[in-house]
């Protein structure tokens, strides 16, 4: 497990973060409904080349969760910009997945952050997006937040499994479920789903163009959340290279094929 011993208050929220390794900086940004623990099998493989910063998005993992909190994409890029300043970073390498991909893109196009390189995969970036569960929860957040614990646990574990091509281990299911359990975690899970809004990617989609840094786009070939053709389209919009398919992998490449992510990042590092 990755350690997140540090806390920074950003936009009124306590954001937990940690770092590992030595060398030039690399920032890893997780997606939904996960936490920085998705990097637990990846960042140690890069720690001899880079100082890696990782954090839990607002409303996720060990970061603060509370009623009435804004955990939408509208706030996450602002958080990233503050963390760059907190860490004293200028053009770090960036590794981003899912909502983390949207966060990195929004910070680039809206906040003016710049990267030495960007490795982005299975990202929320192009309309339309949002699973049937997302659409349903957005209409009935209160009902879902108040479900009996056993029902919530069953739904959560089933939902997490749909992110992966291979069967998730009990350890992985426990790690990804843990933040979303109990009287604080359960409503927080449905809160972040209810606040998923395509307008936050629509806001930047028309700005997509070749980025000012090398960009690697890779995608789980069997992603059932965001299909591979979205990766092809994203690569065509922001990169000078084609999208790299990751065979036998779903949306959660970190569990299905972590070595593919490590290899893609290493190719970008000196």
């Amino acid at each position: 497990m990755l350690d997140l011993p540090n806390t920074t208050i950003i936009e009124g929220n306590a954001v937990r973060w940690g770092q590992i390794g030595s060398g030039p900086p690399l920032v890893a940004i997780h997606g939904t409904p996960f936490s920085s623990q998705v990097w637990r099998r990846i960042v140690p493989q890069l720690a001899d080349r880079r100082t890696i910063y990782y954090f839990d998005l607002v409303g996720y993992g060990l970061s603060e969760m509370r009623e009435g909190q804004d955990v939408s994409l509208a706030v996450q890029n602002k958080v990233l910009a503050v963390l760059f300043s907190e860490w004293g970073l200028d053009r770090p390498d960036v590794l981003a997945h899912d909502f983390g991909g949207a966060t990195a893109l929004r910070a680039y196009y809206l906040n003016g952050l710049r990267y030495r390189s960007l490795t982005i995969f299975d990202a929320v970036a192009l309309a339309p997006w949002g699973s049937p569960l997302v659409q349903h929860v957005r209409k009935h957040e209160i009902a879902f937040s108040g479900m009996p614990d056993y029902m919530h646990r069953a739904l959560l574990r089933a939902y997490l499994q749909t992110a992966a091509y291979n069967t998730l281990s009990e350890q992985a299911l426990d790690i990804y479920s843990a933040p979303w359990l109990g009287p604080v975690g359960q409503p927080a899970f449905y809160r972040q789903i209810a606040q998923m809004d395509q307008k936050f990617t629509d806001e930047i989609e028309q700005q997509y163009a070749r980025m000012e840094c090398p960009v690697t786009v890779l995608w789980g070939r069997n992603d059932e959340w965001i299909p591979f053709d979205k990766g092809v389209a994203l690569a065509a919009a922001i990169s000078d290279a084609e999208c790299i398919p990751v065979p036998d992998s779903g949306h959660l490449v970190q569990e299905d094929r972590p070595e593919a992510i490590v290899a893609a990042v290493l190719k970008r590092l000196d």
Side-chain angles (χ1 to χ4, degrees):
M1 296 286 286
L2 296 176
D3 190 23
L4 290 85
N6 308 295
T7 302
T8 299
I9 305 300
I10 306 174
E11 297 279 317
N13 303 287
V15 177
R16 294 284 293 273
W17 61 273
Q19 68 181 83
I20 186 175
S22 60
L26 182 152
V27 178
I29 317 171
H30 72 84
T32 177
F34 308 105
S35 71
S36 57
Q37 296 306 328
V38 292
W39 307 119
R40 70 194 185 282
R41 299 163 63 192
I42 293 165
V43 298
Q45 308 304 317
L46 307 171
D48 62 339
R49 303 275 194 101
R50 289 291 185 271
T51 299
I52 303 161
Y53 297 86
Y54 50 88
F55 66 102
D56 285 343
L57 294 169
V58 168
Y60 293 76
L62 296 179
S63 289
E64 183 179 3
M65 300 175 177
R66 67 175 188 277
E67 185 178 353
Q69 186 179 28
D70 182 359
V71 299
S72 71
L73 284 171
V75 74
Q76 307 296 353
N77 53 290
K78 298 175 185 176
V79 169
L80 184 62
V82 172
L83 287 174
F84 267 44
S85 178
E86 168 99 356
W87 298 332
L89 303 185
D90 179 34
R91 295 181 181 267
D93 295 291
V94 171
L95 173 62
H97 172 239
D98 185 79
F99 261 35
T103 297
L105 292 171
R106 284 177 57 83
Y108 181 92
Y109 290 105
L110 300 180
N111 300 93
L113 297 190
R114 290 297 178 262
Y115 314 133
R116 181 182 179 275
S117 71
L118 174 64
T119 304
I120 187 170
F121 62 102
D122 300 79
V124 174
L126 297 168
W129 56 267
S131 68
L133 176 65
V134 168
Q135 304 305 327
H136 192 63
V137 169
R138 288 183 65 186
K139 299 176 183 176
H140 307 286
E141 178 190 359
I142 295 176
F144 277 89
S145 296
M147 280 197 308
D149 178 72
Y150 74 92
M151 293 176 61
H152 168 66
R153 286 174 180 265
L155 184 153
L156 178 58
R157 289 170 69 90
Y159 181 59
L160 289 168
Q161 179 57 63
T162 65
Y165 177 73
N166 300 300
T167 301
L168 290 173
S169 68
E170 283 299 310
Q171 180 191 50
L173 285 168
D174 287 345
I175 288 171
Y176 299 138
S177 295
W180 304 122
L181 300 176
V184 174
Q186 180 171 331
F189 177 72
Y190 297 108
R191 181 183 307 122
Q192 55 92 22
I193 293 180
Q195 293 185 29
M196 293 181 187
D197 197 321
Q198 189 176 292
K199 69 182 181 182
F200 298 122
T201 53
D202 291 345
E203 185 177 7
I204 58 170
E205 188 170 335
Q206 296 306 312
Q207 299 183 51
Y208 290 164
R210 298 291 169 86
M211 298 178 72
E212 297 176 7
C213 64
V215 177
T216 300
V217 179
L218 60 157
W219 220 268
R221 195 67 183 85
N222 307 96
D223 189 340
E224 294 185 357
W225 285 15
I226 309 177
F228 177 72
D229 61 2
K230 292 293 186 184
V232 173
L234 181 62
I238 67 172
S239 176
D240 59 1
E242 295 182 352
C243 179
I244 302 170
V246 182
D248 299 324
S249 180
H251 185 73
L252 194 56
V253 186
Q254 295 98 324
E255 293 295 328
D256 284 326
R257 294 288 304 279
E259 72 280 4
I261 300 170
V262 173
V265 174
L266 287 176
K267 287 181 181 178
R268 285 297 185 195
L269 304 186
D270 293 336

